[in-house]
Amino acid sequence: MSTGHFLRSVILVSEKAAKIARAIRQEEHLLSLLVREKKEDEKNQRFAHDFKTLADVLVQEVVKHDLGSEFPDLVGHICGEESNEFSCLDGETICLTVGGTEEETYNQLVRILGNERAACTLAHLVHSTAEVDLVIPSCSLSTDELAIWIDPIDATAEYITGGSVESEVAGMFRTGLPCVTVLIGAFHRLSGTPVLGVINQPFCQQFADRWEGKILWGFGRENNLTSHILEPSLPQTNKLVVLSCSESAEVKSRLTAGGFKLIEAAGAGYKLLCVALRLVSAYVL
């Protein structure tokens, strides 16, 4: 299978994920139905509260379903960070998956949500299609050697809260919806070597009452790298470092002493995006 075909499929499913994320944010009552606080063994220990949403799990399962259906070699090798286990209103626990039909998916969602309108809307989104207008190069790559990792909606807290707060650096944001990303990466099953990655920023620009997204991608083998990266806004020699607001005082002090200017921003995927675009020199994790 050529990389061009595979890469396009990953980009399309990332845009479908972004489409789901944007649609849910447009209706606050729908978003409020989807929030679940993570169990203790699921939480990122750096944060006091960590949430997953049904939107997270839906996106993850959509990627598994769509790529697994198109590339059977990937079935069983598509993983994500979210547990797809949900408690139904009747007390039973089910593992949410994308059904073979819209009705099958709806039946699962209505059991979890107890809301027919919300379940119908989400099931329709899950079984919809997405289109992108991108020119994607082709290169030979066998999918039977690959595995996929998904971070379905990175910066979930920003997704739940909404809004946006700009950074002092032009083109960057500290918090809010622009910090939300959908991350999909492919790697070699045996070596773990990264092969391909897509960052979809569903909430890149706001126009009146709607948001438009942005997609960046890259793939490579050995020293042959290809990416869809825009021209950098700052010179490569800038000494800006992006990090989380929860970073330790000791780390911040050492970086400042080294002559770096510290920029705080939410979302691991968003911070990586800022490095890729050379808005900053580094992301300290």
Side-chain angles (χ1 to χ4, degrees):
M1 186 65 64
S2 74
T3 301
H5 183 195
F6 178 57
L7 176 58
R8 182 170 184 82
S9 297
V10 176
I11 288 172
L12 284 173
V13 79
S14 82
E15 183 57 22
K16 185 174 179 178
K19 180 180 173 183
I20 292 171
R22 285 190 292 265
I24 291 171
R25 274 295 328 180
Q26 286 177 355
E27 300 201 36
E28 294 289 342
H29 77 280
L30 181 56
L31 181 66
S32 67
L33 286 172
L34 308 185
V35 178
R36 300 284 191 278
E37 186 164 2
K38 290 186 178 180
K39 299 176 183 177
E40 287 302 318
D41 60 354
E42 294 179 314
K43 290 184 178 181
N44 183 332
Q45 297 305 312
R46 294 183 65 182
F47 300 98
H49 295 284
D50 203 357
F51 297 91
K52 71 176 177 181
T53 69
L54 191 56
D56 279 295
V57 180
L58 273 179
V59 166
Q60 180 172 283
E61 296 306 310
V62 162
V63 174
K64 287 183 180 180
H65 175 270
D66 287 14
L67 291 183
S69 297
E70 189 172 359
F71 305 99
D73 290 337
L74 292 175
V75 174
H77 300 281
I78 305 176
C79 306
E81 69 167 23
E82 298 295 347
S83 165
N84 66 340
E85 187 177 278
F86 276 88
S87 297
C88 299
L89 296 179
D90 58 12
E92 186 179 349
T93 298
I94 66 171
C95 290
L96 178 65
T97 59
V98 174
T101 65
E102 187 171 322
E103 182 179 5
E104 290 177 6
T105 303
Y106 165 83
N107 288 335
Q108 293 182 69
L109 291 169
V110 78
R111 287 188 63 196
I112 295 170
L113 294 171
N115 184 306
E116 293 183 358
R117 178 187 170 193
C120 184
T121 299
L122 292 172
H124 180 70
L125 287 167
V126 166
H127 289 271
S128 66
T129 59
E131 294 294 333
V132 295
D133 183 18
L134 290 174
V135 177
I136 302 168
S138 181
C139 177
S140 177
L141 184 68
S142 178
T143 55
D144 61 7
E145 300 174 349
L146 301 181
I148 300 288
W149 179 261
I150 315 154
D151 192 339
I153 298 182
D154 186 54
T156 309
E158 307 306 313
Y159 181 65
I160 294 168
T161 305
S164 63
V165 177
E166 293 185 10
S167 167
E168 61 268 38
V169 176
M172 286 185 63
F173 289 82
R174 287 175 56 88
T175 60
L177 290 173
C179 298
V180 174
T181 53
V182 176
L183 309 172
I184 306 176
F187 58 94
H188 195 279
R189 292 179 197 174
L190 297 180
S191 68
T193 303
V195 173
L196 175 152
V198 172
I199 299 178
N200 193 310
Q201 187 183 17
F203 306 96
C204 180
Q205 287 184 295
Q206 188 172 20
F207 300 92
D209 60 346
R210 66 182 178 87
W211 285 89
E212 288 189 359
K214 177 170 64 178
I215 305 171
L216 284 90
W217 54 263
F219 71 86
R221 300 184 71 181
E222 299 177 350
N223 295 323
N224 184 19
L225 304 176
T226 304
S227 66
H228 179 64
I229 301 294
L230 305 177
E231 286 297 316
S233 299
L234 294 176
Q236 196 169 13
T237 55
N238 81 78
K239 297 196 73 173
L240 297 177
V241 171
V242 65
L243 71 176
S244 300
C245 61
S246 60
E247 194 54 74
S248 71
E250 180 183 359
V251 169
K252 291 179 179 179
S253 177
R254 289 188 177 187
L255 287 168
T256 302
F260 290 96
K261 181 178 180 180
L262 310 186
I263 307 297
E264 294 182 354
Y270 179 69
K271 288 191 276 287
L272 289 170
L273 178 63
C274 291
V275 174
L277 295 175
R278 287 171 58 190
L279 294 170
V280 296
S281 294
Y283 161 31
V284 176
L285 176 60

